[in-house]
């Protein structure tokens, strides 16, 4: 254990490094002595070296800032579209613009220095256990990608496939363009129905357009099964995991989602989110626009925008929640973790799916609740550093994350 004197010296050293990193990121030229001090700090640990590399990589900073801008733009557009359904005469489209470069650079500085801020917190709480994940190789966030399973059982990894024709199923051409799967209907074989499945492993998410024009965003560790052509009087698909739907309108063929053993969601044309992971307590359907009808365990409800139906298989109950925070529900789609009022186990399940890790609890699940949002493009270690501010501690062994009291 270091002495108190050494701890104070380390604290002063790290505080000075934080100032140097901030000055460098905001465009100041450092002296030779200051650059030498940064180099010595970089050589202290793998985490320090990775952080400095982020700051010095102009392309990485630009990509991070563009990601933040896209997140803000998507959230603003989703909110405008939702409010327009409620009060069409009042809502005006907001102007969306990039913040000035200087402001972006300060925001990036704040994000990249989170690790040092966490160090300050630890210095003020000397009795807490030391963090046991900073020296491990960074675990990267998830990315776009999925596996396509064709009707004959053959599989294709879509995140490694190039643009163009992927397959032909009963006359329907399956195309991949810029990471998005789409179906071009053709003359299918009469009386023959072919089903495809798109599944996302942990650490992947994906967008596809179904043969009827419905857009689907799949969250990590999810799967959707559907016919390659909708020829009947209804459009039925099966979902495991989580997905956001923007359904193509067809009054003659209702769109139906089967989730779990007893839940069916029926719509005509609308946008909604379904969370049906098997390790969650409820199957949650959240409506953004239009109307959906939920059927489960001999119960039926019709949702209005901003309502959520929660089906609990363990008790065969169906409950409706009003005035749901749709920003929180759609955070995953818009590049964010939204942990507002989330329990520790809820947070850990999201991290398991996005970073492809296993979470274990050393002594049960602490009764901790969180708040706020975190960019999903952070490494796992960056996210853990933020979460430690709520007095939870972690040990990372490979891809196993141990939660300690």
């Amino acid at each position: 254990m270091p002495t108190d004197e050494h701890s104070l010296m380390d604290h002063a050293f790290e505080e000075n490094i934080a100032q140097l990193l901030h000055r460098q990121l905001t465009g100041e030229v450092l002296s030779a002595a200051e650059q030498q001090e940064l180099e010595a700090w970089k050589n202290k640990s793998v985490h320090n070296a990775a952080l400095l590399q982020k700051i010095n990589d102009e392309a990485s900073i630009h990509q991070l800032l563009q990601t933040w801008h896209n997140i803000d733009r998507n959230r603003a557009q989703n909110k405008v579209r939702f409010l327009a359904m409620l009060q069409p005469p009042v809502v005006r489209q907001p102007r969306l613009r990039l913040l000035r470069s200087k402001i972006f650079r300060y925001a990036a500085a704040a994000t990249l220095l989170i690790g040092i801020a966490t160090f300050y917190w630890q210095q003020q709480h000397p009795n807490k256990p030391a963090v046991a994940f900073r020296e491990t190789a960074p675990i990267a966030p998830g990315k776009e990608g999925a596996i396509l399973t064709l009707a004959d059982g053959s599989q294709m990894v879509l995140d490694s496939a190039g643009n163009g024709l992927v397959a032909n199923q009963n006359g329907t051409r399956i195309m991949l363009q810029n990471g998005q799967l789409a179906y071009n209907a053709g003359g299918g074989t009469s009386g023959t129905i072919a089903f495809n499945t798109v599944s996302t492993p942990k650490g992947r998410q994906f967008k596809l357009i179904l043969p009827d024009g419905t857009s689907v965003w799949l969250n990590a560790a999810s799967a959707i099964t559907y016919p390659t052509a909708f020829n009947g009087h209804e459009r039925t698909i099966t979902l495991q995991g989580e997905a956001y739907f923007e359904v193509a309108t067809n009054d003659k063929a209702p769109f139906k989602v089967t989730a779990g053993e007893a839940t069916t969601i029926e719509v005509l044309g609308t946008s909604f989110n379904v969370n049906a992971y098997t390790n969650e307590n409820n199957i949650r359907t959240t409506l953004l626009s239009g109307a959906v009808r939920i059927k489960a365990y001999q119960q039926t409800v019709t949702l209005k925008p901003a309502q959520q139906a929660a089906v609990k298989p363990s008790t065969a109950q169906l409950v409706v929640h009003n005035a749901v925070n749709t920003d929180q529900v759609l955070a995953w789609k818009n590049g964010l973790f939204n942990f507002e009022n989330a329990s520790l186990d809820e947070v850990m399940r999201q991290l398991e799916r996005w970073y492809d890790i296993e979470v274990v609890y050393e002594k049960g699940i602490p009764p901790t609740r969180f708040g706020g949002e975190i960019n999903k493009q952070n490494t796992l270690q960056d996210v853990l550093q933020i979460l430690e501010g709520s007095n939870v501690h972690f040990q990372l062994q490979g891809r196993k994350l141990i939660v300690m009291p």
Side-chain angles (χ1 to χ4, degrees):
M1 292 293 292
T3 65
D4 290 342
E5 182 181 356
H6 286 161
S7 294
L8 291 173
M9 290 176 60
D10 287 344
H11 182 221
F13 177 78
E14 295 287 356
E15 185 174 8
N16 186 48
I17 291 298
Q19 293 173 354
L20 293 179
L21 290 174
H22 185 272
R23 287 171 53 199
Q24 177 173 297
L25 188 62
T26 52
E28 290 190 37
V29 178
L30 303 182
S31 67
E34 290 170 335
Q35 291 176 354
Q36 187 174 7
E37 187 175 1
L38 269 185
E39 185 70 18
W41 170 81
K42 180 192 75 171
N43 294 331
K44 282 184 63 178
S45 72
V46 173
H47 179 77
N48 292 353
L51 179 60
L52 192 60
Q53 184 177 9
K54 271 187 183 180
I55 293 176
N56 290 330
D57 185 355
E58 195 70 30
S60 176
I61 293 293
H62 177 76
Q63 183 179 12
L64 176 63
L65 301 183
Q66 186 62 48
T67 298
W68 287 345
H69 168 62
N70 291 339
I71 289 171
D72 288 339
R73 179 184 60 190
N74 289 341
R75 291 183 64 195
Q77 289 175 341
N78 285 339
K79 183 169 291 187
V80 166
R81 182 167 50 199
F82 169 66
L83 292 176
M85 296 294 174
L86 301 179
Q87 298 175 318
V90 178
V91 177
R92 295 181 176 87
Q93 182 74 26
R95 290 181 299 170
L96 302 170
R97 59 184 177 85
L98 282 169
L99 297 177
R100 288 174 297 175
S101 175
K102 185 176 181 180
I103 297 176
F104 261 133
R105 294 176 74 86
Y106 276 105
T111 297
L112 294 178
L113 296 177
I114 281 171
I116 296 173
T118 303
F119 176 85
Y120 297 159
W121 184 91
Q122 287 185 318
Q123 290 295 327
Q124 296 169 7
H125 300 80
N127 295 326
K128 301 299 180 184
V131 179
F133 56 80
R134 292 199 186 93
E135 302 306 316
T136 60
I139 294 182
K143 59 183 181 179
E144 298 291 320
I147 297 171
L148 171 65
T149 302
L150 301 175
D152 61 1
S154 60
Q155 294 186 327
M156 302 185 64
V157 179
L158 298 179
D159 40 340
S160 62
N163 288 337
L165 181 66
V166 172
N168 194 314
Q169 297 272 273
N170 288 350
T172 298
R173 292 164 55 84
I174 307 174
M175 309 293 296
L176 186 65
Q177 292 293 335
N178 300 322
Q180 176 178 288
L181 198 68
Y183 287 73
N184 297 329
T189 304
S190 178
T192 302
I193 300 177
F195 286 87
N196 285 179
T197 297
V198 171
S199 56
T200 51
K202 289 182 178 180
R204 296 290 186 273
Q205 63 183 33
F206 195 72
K207 181 184 177 183
L208 66 149
I209 299 178
L210 298 180
D212 66 333
T214 292
S215 296
V216 183
W217 287 257
L218 272 184
N219 202 351
S222 302
I224 181 174
T225 300
Y226 51 90
T228 57
F230 294 104
N231 297 322
H233 297 296
E234 62 181 35
R235 299 167 286 166
T236 301
I237 64 97
T238 300
L239 172 68
Q240 295 177 334
E242 185 168 22
Y244 171 73
F245 296 85
E246 291 185 352
V247 178
T249 302
N250 183 345
D251 295 341
K252 297 180 179 179
F255 188 90
K256 294 184 178 181
V257 179
T258 299
E261 297 180 354
T263 302
T264 301
I265 303 127
E266 180 179 339
V267 305
L268 292 175
T270 186
S271 57
F272 61 101
N273 191 85
V274 180
N275 183 317
Y277 287 111
T278 56
N279 63 348
E280 299 287 349
N281 294 327
N282 299 291
I283 296 173
R284 299 185 182 274
T285 303
T286 308
L287 182 64
L288 273 79
S289 65
V292 298
R293 184 182 298 116
I294 315 295
K295 297 180 179 180
Y297 302 107
Q298 289 76 52
Q299 303 169 71
T300 302
V301 297
T302 300
L303 297 185
K304 297 177 181 179
Q307 286 186 324
Q308 181 184 87
V311 178
K312 192 167 187 176
S314 62
T315 59
Q317 288 181 312
L318 171 58
V319 178
V320 175
H321 302 288
N322 297 312
V324 173
N325 183 348
T326 55
D327 275 349
Q328 183 172 15
V329 172
L330 290 184
W332 70 268
K333 173 182 170 288
N334 295 329
L336 295 169
F337 295 114
N338 187 312
F339 295 147
E340 194 62 38
N341 199 33
S343 64
L344 177 61
D345 54 329
E346 289 173 332
V347 169
M348 290 299 105
R349 288 197 294 271
Q350 291 190 51
L351 298 188
E352 277 186 314
R353 292 190 282 261
W354 187 237
Y355 293 99
D356 189 14
I357 59 172
E358 176 191 1
V359 175
V360 297
Y361 298 90
E362 188 177 60
K363 294 182 180 179
I365 303 175
T368 304
R369 301 198 81 83
F370 298 87
E373 296 177 329
I374 301 175
N375 191 325
K376 288 174 65 177
Q377 292 308 307
N378 284 307
T379 66
L380 174 64
Q381 283 87 339
D382 288 339
V383 173
L384 296 178
Q385 287 175 347
I386 297 171
L387 296 180
E388 280 210 328
S390 294
N391 203 20
V392 182
H393 305 281
F394 307 95
Q395 184 179 43
L396 190 58
Q397 299 177 353
R399 302 194 82 89
K400 177 186 287 188
L401 180 64
I402 302 172
V403 182
M404 301 178 292

